[in-house]
Amino acid sequence: MNTLDNVVHLKGPVWAIDDQTAQLVKQCQEKKLPASYSLWQGRDRDWGLILETKDGQAKTGNIISRAKARAGESLSRVIIVDVIIDDFFATDHNDDKINHWRHDNEPGVKHVKKEKDVRTMELMRYKSITEFNELVIRRREALRQITEDPFAGAVDCFLGTSQFEYAVKAVTLYKGGSRKILADLCARFGKTIWSAVIAKLLDVDVIIVSAYVKTVFASFASDLIKYKQFLDFVHIDAGKDGYEEKIKKAIKAGKKVIVYVSLCPGRNRNDKIKFLGELKCSKFWIVDEADYGAHRPKQVKPLKEAVKNDYLLVMTGTNADRAINSWDETFDLIGITYLELLTQKQETKKELENA
Amino acid sequence: MPNTIEQEILKQFKVDKNRDLLVPDREFLLANITPAVKAAKKELEVHGLEFSGLANWQKAQTFPEKAKGFLVKVFQGLELGMIDELNVPYQLRVSSLRPIHKHLDKESSNSIEVKLMFMGGSTRNTNLMTIGEIAQEALGNGTKVIVMCGASLIDGGKKFTNHNAQKEINRIIADCASKNQKVFIIAANMGQRSFSIPGLGVVYLCYDRGQEGATRQKLSRVLTADTLDKVGRIVSCSFDPNRDDKIDAEIFATADHIAERKGLPWAEALKYVLSTNSNIYKFSDNGAILMDADEYIKNTIDQRRAHRQIGAMVNINKFDDQTLAEWVNADSDYSKNDPTGTTPAGETWDPNKPKAPKKPKNAKPGELTKEQKDARSKARASIITFLENFHYIKESTDTTSVKEMLNEIRNSKEDQEWLYEYYGISIGTIDRSLLSGGLNYKHLEIALNI
């Protein structure tokens, strides 16, 4: 949610924030599925970030035409940042219920009514970038609370051929005794889902996702929370108070826990990592964007002390050598190039043509 | 026997082949920049002036004022179509260089041309600014030239930073679109990461060699942030396209992965990758020519780029200190081919002038010191030399497989002496390298059979 690297043009002024969201839009349009959407305008006229979304519902899956209508003539572009497919949205005004619930229950989010230029009930305003980045997670949480259905809004997770083949390779390595894997993954591979598939197959109690950015929780959890296959994960942000208790409680309840910890220096960072390392259960550590800040000894040292003999996946898009320089240990290597994705694309095209 | 891990994954997840089709296509275009040098030379001669050649990008980027004639011709050739060999729309037989969408909609066809030119990573900001001024002068007011670096002021106000570059460039593009003005961005390091410009259709790479990671980031800029059916174009501007190795690393790494995944012999995998992705074009005076797999492979072997890539696959970080030191001291003096079709070179500085002593640089935490880096490059060069000449061992031992070849040397003192004399390494060094896993039999097989 915090990057525009993968935005996808859908039609006219309407864009999707990434491939996954584009696929959800496509699914709604083709199968006429009831859905709720969240639109983001991007920047204001002075190129300041707009921390607002226009949230609505499309009873018959016609998200694009509704998004176009909402965009208005004054805007050149709207970006669909979230789509939730669920029968709940087949009933008129149920989107309002979500917005009301969020206004009443969520900190830092306001349902804006009766303001100049706001014609309907759709505008949600966020206090800061933190709340804004978490909107995908928060909207689903609202739906699940209102419907009292823990599976509400979740769809099946589909893998691309390369994601599947490399997941097989990684799991084979781990199950064959490997503990540390360096994954050099190109753009557009879909590493978040891929790493979560591996986590699922390793069947560990706790997954720890770390990166040298403060928004690690929002960027990773937003992807996973959409899919049925990852609904058994309890997402816990180690950047928030009380994370230790939440983790212990979830483990005690036999849940799979996924903890997000920022590697940016802070007073308690090393303590957090130490606490996670000392948890008496099976663990899988994922270091994301490992060549960006996370490769320096100051970050690697506490991680290395905590990881010990747990499963470790160091993911990077470039500078794979640099990513593991400070680890001073042997890693198994998994690499995929953009050219390989293109090769797969050609093979699949042929296969589909011949089918 | 069915793979149980595959089955385990398929119990929980489904594979959707349509997801494979979401990857934007890419064209890699090799442009020969020498006609710009010839054009600059010709123009100077008309005015009775002497031409001092600038036969590589580094020189042109270090002395842009001196290279002004050449740079003007480059910009005019690439952007104004004044040199056929550099005229990208002419080469590709297209009318414009807006991003290609297979299903153009109104917004895309109305968009303006946005291009990004990456100069070498070592180009100083002051020189980048000068290059920007030259570009603006050469391209005129129909194109807005933006120099994206720390020294460049945005609309006379604040400076560009990695943090604000994407936002500011998008704002400038929107402004230029309203005036129907093209946008030409010049950068060296800024904009390599997290820089997503939806309308970017072409990336020019104007440097020789360059770090593989940085090149990968730079050429990815044209792939991100666009439609599902986009084709990104990368134009590598080279003084000697036959030696242009910017995508060698990616091609060789892909062949390596495909060989493993499909169980193909390595050379076959390389050919498979190249023939499946026939998207490398070489510019000529009659338009772009698609390079076929055989031609590409022949070029990499003739230019000794192939063995450099195999050498790059060897993970020297796995070597112990002794093994690394032995490779450092081995013979790395391999003969280089004479460059073909190169530009006449001229002096750009006085070779007799003593160089200023370099200040010793302390490495940042987690990074190698200069000495360590130098040692690794020397070791790598020796490994490449060894791989290049590995076939002599096969010839002299009269064996067929790599394992047999090495065994024969292990069993003959005479062969071991020959090996040391010829390559400057012992069989022990090779064995320890193999044992570490940094060098493996696959590397030797590839070197032998490519």
PDB file of all heavy atoms in Angstrom, chain B residues 121-146:
ATOM      1  N   GLY B 121      27.118   5.836 -13.240  1.00  0.00           N
ATOM      2  CA  GLY B 121      26.923   6.101 -11.820  1.00  0.00           C
ATOM      3  C   GLY B 121      27.948   7.035 -11.222  1.00  0.00           C
ATOM      4  O   GLY B 121      27.704   7.681 -10.212  1.00  0.00           O
ATOM      5  N   SER B 122      29.136   7.137 -11.868  1.00  0.00           N
ATOM      6  CA  SER B 122      30.180   7.994 -11.288  1.00  0.00           C
ATOM      7  C   SER B 122      30.125   9.422 -11.818  1.00  0.00           C
ATOM      8  O   SER B 122      30.982  10.235 -11.484  1.00  0.00           O
ATOM      9  CB  SER B 122      31.553   7.373 -11.570  1.00  0.00           C
ATOM     10  OG  SER B 122      31.727   7.272 -12.971  1.00  0.00           O
ATOM     11  N   THR B 123      29.143   9.732 -12.650  1.00  0.00           N
ATOM     12  CA  THR B 123      29.065  11.092 -13.201  1.00  0.00           C
ATOM     13  C   THR B 123      28.787  12.094 -12.065  1.00  0.00           C
ATOM     14  O   THR B 123      27.836  11.925 -11.302  1.00  0.00           O
ATOM     15  CB  THR B 123      27.927  11.195 -14.249  1.00  0.00           C
ATOM     16  OG1 THR B 123      28.066  10.125 -15.167  1.00  0.00           O
ATOM     17  CG2 THR B 123      27.955  12.518 -14.975  1.00  0.00           C
ATOM     18  N   ARG B 124      29.617  13.127 -12.012  1.00  0.00           N
ATOM     19  CA  ARG B 124      29.434  14.136 -10.955  1.00  0.00           C
ATOM     20  C   ARG B 124      28.191  14.970 -11.236  1.00  0.00           C
ATOM     21  O   ARG B 124      27.847  15.191 -12.406  1.00  0.00           O
ATOM     22  CB  ARG B 124      30.643  15.079 -10.905  1.00  0.00           C
ATOM     23  CG  ARG B 124      31.867  14.454 -10.282  1.00  0.00           C
ATOM     24  CD  ARG B 124      33.060  15.362 -10.513  1.00  0.00           C
ATOM     25  NE  ARG B 124      34.228  14.807  -9.861  1.00  0.00           N
ATOM     26  CZ  ARG B 124      34.622  15.126  -8.638  1.00  0.00           C
ATOM     27  NH1 ARG B 124      33.931  16.002  -7.935  1.00  0.00           N
ATOM     28  NH2 ARG B 124      35.686  14.580  -8.116  1.00  0.00           N
ATOM     29  N   ASN B 125      27.599  15.475 -10.174  1.00  0.00           N
ATOM     30  CA  ASN B 125      26.386  16.282 -10.344  1.00  0.00           C
ATOM     31  C   ASN B 125      26.624  17.505 -11.234  1.00  0.00           C
ATOM     32  O   ASN B 125      25.781  17.854 -12.054  1.00  0.00           O
ATOM     33  CB  ASN B 125      25.858  16.736  -8.983  1.00  0.00           C
ATOM     34  CG  ASN B 125      25.126  15.617  -8.270  1.00  0.00           C
ATOM     35  OD1 ASN B 125      24.899  14.550  -8.846  1.00  0.00           O
ATOM     36  ND2 ASN B 125      24.757  15.829  -7.026  1.00  0.00           N
ATOM     37  N   THR B 126      27.803  18.146 -11.054  1.00  0.00           N
ATOM     38  CA  THR B 126      28.066  19.350 -11.857  1.00  0.00           C
ATOM     39  C   THR B 126      28.123  18.981 -13.346  1.00  0.00           C
ATOM     40  O   THR B 126      27.625  19.722 -14.201  1.00  0.00           O
ATOM     41  CB  THR B 126      29.409  20.000 -11.451  1.00  0.00           C
ATOM     42  OG1 THR B 126      30.391  18.967 -11.394  1.00  0.00           O
ATOM     43  CG2 THR B 126      29.307  20.694 -10.106  1.00  0.00           C
ATOM     44  N   ASN B 127      28.711  17.821 -13.641  1.00  0.00           N
ATOM     45  CA  ASN B 127      28.782  17.382 -15.038  1.00  0.00           C
ATOM     46  C   ASN B 127      27.405  16.983 -15.573  1.00  0.00           C
ATOM     47  O   ASN B 127      27.090  17.224 -16.728  1.00  0.00           O
ATOM     48  CB  ASN B 127      29.754  16.204 -15.181  1.00  0.00           C
ATOM     49  CG  ASN B 127      31.189  16.646 -14.957  1.00  0.00           C
ATOM     50  OD1 ASN B 127      31.497  17.825 -15.107  1.00  0.00           O
ATOM     51  ND2 ASN B 127      32.054  15.731 -14.587  1.00  0.00           N
ATOM     52  N   LEU B 128      26.612  16.409 -14.698  1.00  0.00           N
ATOM     53  CA  LEU B 128      25.251  16.035 -15.094  1.00  0.00           C
ATOM     54  C   LEU B 128      24.451  17.298 -15.444  1.00  0.00           C
ATOM     55  O   LEU B 128      23.685  17.315 -16.411  1.00  0.00           O
ATOM     56  CB  LEU B 128      24.585  15.281 -13.929  1.00  0.00           C
ATOM     57  CG  LEU B 128      23.597  14.170 -14.255  1.00  0.00           C
ATOM     58  CD1 LEU B 128      24.190  13.132 -15.188  1.00  0.00           C
ATOM     59  CD2 LEU B 128      23.141  13.489 -12.973  1.00  0.00           C
ATOM     60  N   MET B 129      24.682  18.364 -14.662  1.00  0.00           N
ATOM     61  CA  MET B 129      23.992  19.633 -14.930  1.00  0.00           C
ATOM     62  C   MET B 129      24.418  20.177 -16.300  1.00  0.00           C
ATOM     63  O   MET B 129      23.601  20.668 -17.073  1.00  0.00           O
ATOM     64  CB  MET B 129      24.312  20.664 -13.837  1.00  0.00           C
ATOM     65  CG  MET B 129      23.826  20.282 -12.449  1.00  0.00           C
ATOM     66  SD  MET B 129      22.040  20.116 -12.351  1.00  0.00           S
ATOM     67  CE  MET B 129      21.542  21.814 -12.492  1.00  0.00           C
ATOM     68  N   THR B 130      25.730  20.075 -16.578  1.00  0.00           N
ATOM     69  CA  THR B 130      26.229  20.546 -17.874  1.00  0.00           C
ATOM     70  C   THR B 130      25.615  19.732 -19.007  1.00  0.00           C
ATOM     71  O   THR B 130      25.191  20.282 -20.022  1.00  0.00           O
ATOM     72  CB  THR B 130      27.780  20.414 -17.919  1.00  0.00           C
ATOM     73  OG1 THR B 130      28.309  21.060 -16.778  1.00  0.00           O
ATOM     74  CG2 THR B 130      28.363  21.015 -19.175  1.00  0.00           C
ATOM     75  N   ILE B 131      25.551  18.420 -18.812  1.00  0.00           N
ATOM     76  CA  ILE B 131      24.949  17.551 -19.841  1.00  0.00           C
ATOM     77  C   ILE B 131      23.485  17.943 -20.055  1.00  0.00           C
ATOM     78  O   ILE B 131      22.999  17.992 -21.191  1.00  0.00           O
ATOM     79  CB  ILE B 131      25.083  16.057 -19.443  1.00  0.00           C
ATOM     80  CG1 ILE B 131      26.559  15.644 -19.454  1.00  0.00           C
ATOM     81  CG2 ILE B 131      24.285  15.149 -20.374  1.00  0.00           C
ATOM     82  CD1 ILE B 131      26.865  14.301 -18.815  1.00  0.00           C
ATOM     83  N   GLY B 132      22.806  18.273 -18.962  1.00  0.00           N
ATOM     84  CA  GLY B 132      21.411  18.708 -19.058  1.00  0.00           C
ATOM     85  C   GLY B 132      21.274  19.985 -19.885  1.00  0.00           C
ATOM     86  O   GLY B 132      20.372  20.107 -20.721  1.00  0.00           O
ATOM     87  N   GLU B 133      22.188  20.917 -19.648  1.00  0.00           N
ATOM     88  CA  GLU B 133      22.151  22.183 -20.410  1.00  0.00           C
ATOM     89  C   GLU B 133      22.379  21.909 -21.894  1.00  0.00           C
ATOM     90  O   GLU B 133      21.716  22.480 -22.764  1.00  0.00           O
ATOM     91  CB  GLU B 133      23.224  23.143 -19.891  1.00  0.00           C
ATOM     92  CG  GLU B 133      22.816  23.840 -18.602  1.00  0.00           C
ATOM     93  CD  GLU B 133      23.981  24.573 -17.954  1.00  0.00           C
ATOM     94  OE1 GLU B 133      24.933  24.950 -18.673  1.00  0.00           O
ATOM     95  OE2 GLU B 133      23.939  24.749 -16.719  1.00  0.00           O
ATOM     96  N   ILE B 134      23.330  21.019 -22.174  1.00  0.00           N
ATOM     97  CA  ILE B 134      23.620  20.664 -23.574  1.00  0.00           C
ATOM     98  C   ILE B 134      22.384  20.021 -24.204  1.00  0.00           C
ATOM     99  O   ILE B 134      21.999  20.339 -25.332  1.00  0.00           O
ATOM    100  CB  ILE B 134      24.851  19.716 -23.656  1.00  0.00           C
ATOM    101  CG1 ILE B 134      26.112  20.457 -23.199  1.00  0.00           C
ATOM    102  CG2 ILE B 134      25.032  19.164 -25.073  1.00  0.00           C
ATOM    103  CD1 ILE B 134      27.327  19.567 -22.993  1.00  0.00           C
ATOM    104  N   ALA B 135      21.736  19.139 -23.448  1.00  0.00           N
ATOM    105  CA  ALA B 135      20.546  18.459 -23.974  1.00  0.00           C
ATOM    106  C   ALA B 135      19.438  19.459 -24.270  1.00  0.00           C
ATOM    107  O   ALA B 135      18.800  19.404 -25.324  1.00  0.00           O
ATOM    108  CB  ALA B 135      20.061  17.418 -22.965  1.00  0.00           C
ATOM    109  N   GLN B 136      19.225  20.409 -23.351  1.00  0.00           N
ATOM    110  CA  GLN B 136      18.154  21.394 -23.556  1.00  0.00           C
ATOM    111  C   GLN B 136      18.427  22.242 -24.796  1.00  0.00           C
ATOM    112  O   GLN B 136      17.540  22.510 -25.598  1.00  0.00           O
ATOM    113  CB  GLN B 136      18.017  22.279 -22.313  1.00  0.00           C
ATOM    114  CG  GLN B 136      16.803  23.199 -22.319  1.00  0.00           C
ATOM    115  CD  GLN B 136      15.471  22.426 -22.266  1.00  0.00           C
ATOM    116  OE1 GLN B 136      15.061  21.926 -21.240  1.00  0.00           O
ATOM    117  NE2 GLN B 136      14.798  22.298 -23.410  1.00  0.00           N
ATOM    118  N   GLU B 137      19.709  22.605 -24.939  1.00  0.00           N
ATOM    119  CA  GLU B 137      20.111  23.412 -26.104  1.00  0.00           C
ATOM    120  C   GLU B 137      19.885  22.609 -27.399  1.00  0.00           C
ATOM    121  O   GLU B 137      19.390  23.137 -28.388  1.00  0.00           O
ATOM    122  CB  GLU B 137      21.599  23.740 -25.949  1.00  0.00           C
ATOM    123  CG  GLU B 137      22.042  24.986 -26.706  1.00  0.00           C
ATOM    124  CD  GLU B 137      23.522  25.255 -26.464  1.00  0.00           C
ATOM    125  OE1 GLU B 137      23.942  25.317 -25.281  1.00  0.00           O
ATOM    126  OE2 GLU B 137      24.246  25.368 -27.451  1.00  0.00           O
ATOM    127  N   ALA B 138      20.235  21.319 -27.346  1.00  0.00           N
ATOM    128  CA  ALA B 138      20.125  20.491 -28.556  1.00  0.00           C
ATOM    129  C   ALA B 138      18.678  20.176 -28.910  1.00  0.00           C
ATOM    130  O   ALA B 138      18.323  20.086 -30.082  1.00  0.00           O
ATOM    131  CB  ALA B 138      20.898  19.179 -28.349  1.00  0.00           C
ATOM    132  N   LEU B 139      17.851  20.020 -27.897  1.00  0.00           N
ATOM    133  CA  LEU B 139      16.483  19.550 -28.154  1.00  0.00           C
ATOM    134  C   LEU B 139      15.458  20.663 -28.295  1.00  0.00           C
ATOM    135  O   LEU B 139      14.364  20.454 -28.807  1.00  0.00           O
ATOM    136  CB  LEU B 139      16.039  18.578 -27.048  1.00  0.00           C
ATOM    137  CG  LEU B 139      16.912  17.330 -26.884  1.00  0.00           C
ATOM    138  CD1 LEU B 139      16.422  16.464 -25.740  1.00  0.00           C
ATOM    139  CD2 LEU B 139      16.930  16.510 -28.178  1.00  0.00           C
ATOM    140  N   GLY B 140      15.804  21.860 -27.844  1.00  0.00           N
ATOM    141  CA  GLY B 140      14.904  23.002 -28.018  1.00  0.00           C
ATOM    142  C   GLY B 140      13.729  22.988 -27.049  1.00  0.00           C
ATOM    143  O   GLY B 140      13.653  22.151 -26.145  1.00  0.00           O
ATOM    144  N   ASN B 141      12.819  23.937 -27.256  1.00  0.00           N
ATOM    145  CA  ASN B 141      11.749  24.148 -26.270  1.00  0.00           C
ATOM    146  C   ASN B 141      10.618  23.126 -26.329  1.00  0.00           C
ATOM    147  O   ASN B 141       9.779  23.088 -25.441  1.00  0.00           O
ATOM    148  CB  ASN B 141      11.156  25.550 -26.446  1.00  0.00           C
ATOM    149  CG  ASN B 141      12.159  26.609 -26.033  1.00  0.00           C
ATOM    150  OD1 ASN B 141      13.037  26.342 -25.214  1.00  0.00           O
ATOM    151  ND2 ASN B 141      12.069  27.789 -26.627  1.00  0.00           N
ATOM    152  N   GLY B 142      10.593  22.332 -27.377  1.00  0.00           N
ATOM    153  CA  GLY B 142       9.542  21.305 -27.474  1.00  0.00           C
ATOM    154  C   GLY B 142       9.729  20.203 -26.458  1.00  0.00           C
ATOM    155  O   GLY B 142       8.833  19.396 -26.228  1.00  0.00           O
ATOM    156  N   THR B 143      10.900  20.152 -25.861  1.00  0.00           N
ATOM    157  CA  THR B 143      11.206  19.122 -24.861  1.00  0.00           C
ATOM    158  C   THR B 143      11.659  19.784 -23.569  1.00  0.00           C
ATOM    159  O   THR B 143      12.486  20.686 -23.588  1.00  0.00           O
ATOM    160  CB  THR B 143      12.341  18.203 -25.362  1.00  0.00           C
ATOM    161  OG1 THR B 143      11.941  17.635 -26.605  1.00  0.00           O
ATOM    162  CG2 THR B 143      12.652  17.102 -24.370  1.00  0.00           C
ATOM    163  N   LYS B 144      11.106  19.334 -22.481  1.00  0.00           N
ATOM    164  CA  LYS B 144      11.552  19.825 -21.177  1.00  0.00           C
ATOM    165  C   LYS B 144      12.617  18.856 -20.667  1.00  0.00           C
ATOM    166  O   LYS B 144      12.342  17.663 -20.479  1.00  0.00           O
ATOM    167  CB  LYS B 144      10.362  19.855 -20.210  1.00  0.00           C
ATOM    168  CG  LYS B 144      10.727  20.053 -18.764  1.00  0.00           C
ATOM    169  CD  LYS B 144      10.662  21.490 -18.373  1.00  0.00           C
ATOM    170  CE  LYS B 144      10.879  21.681 -16.871  1.00  0.00           C
ATOM    171  NZ  LYS B 144      10.995  23.068 -16.499  1.00  0.00           N
ATOM    172  N   VAL B 145      13.846  19.341 -20.508  1.00  0.00           N
ATOM    173  CA  VAL B 145      14.911  18.482 -19.993  1.00  0.00           C
ATOM    174  C   VAL B 145      14.977  18.668 -18.479  1.00  0.00           C
ATOM    175  O   VAL B 145      15.039  19.797 -17.992  1.00  0.00           O
ATOM    176  CB  VAL B 145      16.274  18.826 -20.642  1.00  0.00           C
ATOM    177  CG1 VAL B 145      17.384  18.000 -20.004  1.00  0.00           C
ATOM    178  CG2 VAL B 145      16.221  18.584 -22.148  1.00  0.00           C
ATOM    179  N   ILE B 146      14.923  17.575 -17.761  1.00  0.00           N
ATOM    180  CA  ILE B 146      15.018  17.642 -16.297  1.00  0.00           C
ATOM    181  C   ILE B 146      16.259  16.873 -15.867  1.00  0.00           C
ATOM    182  O   ILE B 146      16.407  15.698 -16.217  1.00  0.00           O
ATOM    183  CB  ILE B 146      13.792  16.985 -15.621  1.00  0.00           C
ATOM    184  CG1 ILE B 146      12.497  17.573 -16.169  1.00  0.00           C
ATOM    185  CG2 ILE B 146      13.865  17.133 -14.114  1.00  0.00           C
ATOM    186  CD1 ILE B 146      11.274  16.723 -15.825  1.00  0.00           C
TER     187      ILE B 146
END
